Amino acid sequence: MILRAILLMILGMALLAMTDMFIKLSSARIPVGQVMLMLSIGGTLVFLVVARLKRAAIFHPSALTPLVLVRNAMEMVGGLGMVLGVALVPLSLVAVIMQATPLVVTIGAALILKEPVGWRRWAAIIVGVFGMLLVVRPGFDGFVPASLFVVMGVVGLAMRDLVTRMMPPEISSVSLSTWGFAATIPVGAALLLIRGDAPMADGMAALQVAGAVVVTTSGYYAVTAAMRLAPASIVAPFRYTRLVFTMGVGILVFGDRPDTLTLTGAAIIIATGLYSFIRERKLARKALIEARITSQMH
């Protein structure tokens, strides 16, 4: 069961790396706002079909609760940042910056959800942020201004994940996914208007966006299945395989050549992220043992 969960997580990361590839390919042919609009509509339709098959309620009063609205807003911010980042920034750079997501989630959990984070994990977070600065390099030679879109995407998606933790159990995952995709539809339309781009008819781009819809939704389900088959502490570290897949696509398909600072920053981010996972797992085991001892005493 655990091996199956790990393989599903790795498969999910490979599929999501393919999403990045399709977005980058299609945005070279048609406006990026059109890519986002088509991807959002396609993803929404797929999840509507899935919801119908699962008989999950979509048009429900819970869709207008503050938590869901905040989650949708973070989906809009994260989706906009990631689509623009993937379209404008080398994929190898996007891949590295995205690995900082678990660190941002930990920061948010401590500051917003008031979850306990000890000095060791704070130290790991600080080192991880330093690693991300090595990659982004704001104010220095090699700085790619558009990389800030990826940082925006990472923050938005991390906040979305935090809010998801607070969702009541009666709201299904497929409903949340449908609302999240639907929320990004007006963002794509607004991006088209703001940039003044006219929609273009391009058969190859349409096929590429369709490919992005298929691999995105499939990757989402692979990750969801992995998280349900095994504890998060076991499968979550395998999210870092996305770095290998996305960077590989960047090198093989787009001719990216990550420099030494980028690779060093990637190593630092992954090392600190893995340390945080290991530390959380140890603390969870300690809390479980203490709870068992307390229950036996009573």
Side-chain angles (χ1 to χ4, degrees):
M1 193 71 76
I2 290 178
L3 177 60
R4 184 182 175 191
I6 291 172
L7 291 175
L8 278 171
M9 178 61 77
I10 294 173
L11 173 63
M13 294 301 101
L15 290 170
L16 293 176
M18 296 295 289
T19 298
D20 299 335
M21 180 190 75
F22 282 129
I23 290 175
K24 196 165 189 68
L25 287 171
S26 57
S27 62
R29 304 179 68 92
I30 60 176
V32 64
Q34 184 179 348
V35 172
M36 186 171 187
L37 182 60
M38 293 169 65
L39 180 60
S40 301
I41 293 173
T44 302
L45 292 175
V46 168
F47 279 111
L48 281 172
V49 171
V50 173
R52 183 67 181 270
L53 294 174
K54 290 192 168 188
R55 297 182 179 179
I58 296 297
F59 304 103
H60 191 272
S62 59
L64 298 177
T65 57
L67 274 181
V68 174
L69 294 177
V70 171
R71 185 187 186 278
N72 289 345
M74 293 301 100
E75 190 86 65
M76 294 165 75
V77 172
L80 177 62
M82 291 310 304
V83 170
L84 284 173
V86 169
L88 302 174
V89 178
L91 276 189
S92 56
L93 189 58
V94 173
V96 175
I97 297 173
M98 286 181 63
Q99 304 316 305
T101 303
L103 297 176
V104 179
V105 170
T106 303
I107 294 172
L111 299 180
I112 299 172
L113 302 183
K114 305 301 180 185
E115 292 184 6
V117 176
W119 69 269
R120 292 180 181 85
R121 276 192 289 167
W122 275 119
I125 288 169
I126 292 170
V127 174
V129 170
F130 171 73
M132 189 166 73
L133 290 175
L134 283 180
V135 175
V136 179
R137 282 168 260 178
F140 293 91
D141 290 339
F143 172 54
V144 180
S147 64
L148 295 179
F149 285 124
V150 188
V151 175
M152 173 181 132
V154 165
V155 173
L157 296 180
M159 293 302 103
R160 177 204 64 186
D161 292 345
L162 279 177
V163 176
T164 302
R165 292 187 188 182
M166 304 162 64
M167 290 292 166
E170 60 267 20
I171 302 179
S172 67
S173 297
V174 68
S175 298
L176 287 175
S177 299
T178 306
W179 298 330
F181 263 98
T184 59
I185 292 175
V187 178
L191 188 58
L192 265 176
L193 291 173
I194 292 171
R195 290 172 60 94
D197 295 324
M200 298 173 59
D202 188 303
M204 179 57 71
L207 287 175
Q208 290 164 346
V209 174
V213 171
V214 171
V215 294
T216 301
T217 52
S218 301
Y220 168 84
Y221 269 104
V223 172
T224 301
M227 297 297 284
R228 288 181 172 177
L229 285 173
S233 59
I234 293 176
V235 297
F238 289 91
R239 286 180 180 271
Y240 286 111
T241 56
R242 184 171 180 176
L243 173 64
V244 177
F245 293 124
T246 303
M247 190 172 283
V249 168
I251 293 171
L252 296 175
V253 179
F254 300 101
D256 294 349
R257 291 294 180 267
D259 59 21
T260 303
L261 273 181
T262 299
L263 295 175
T264 302
I268 292 172
I269 292 170
I270 291 177
T272 52
L274 289 175
Y275 175 81
S276 294
F277 279 126
I278 294 169
R279 185 65 185 164
E280 286 178 12
R281 192 174 180 184
K282 286 183 178 179
L283 291 174
R285 284 180 177 176
K286 182 180 178 181
L288 181 61
I289 292 171
E290 290 176 350
R292 286 177 178 172
I293 293 174
T294 303
S295 63
Q296 290 172 358
M297 290 176 63
H298 293 285

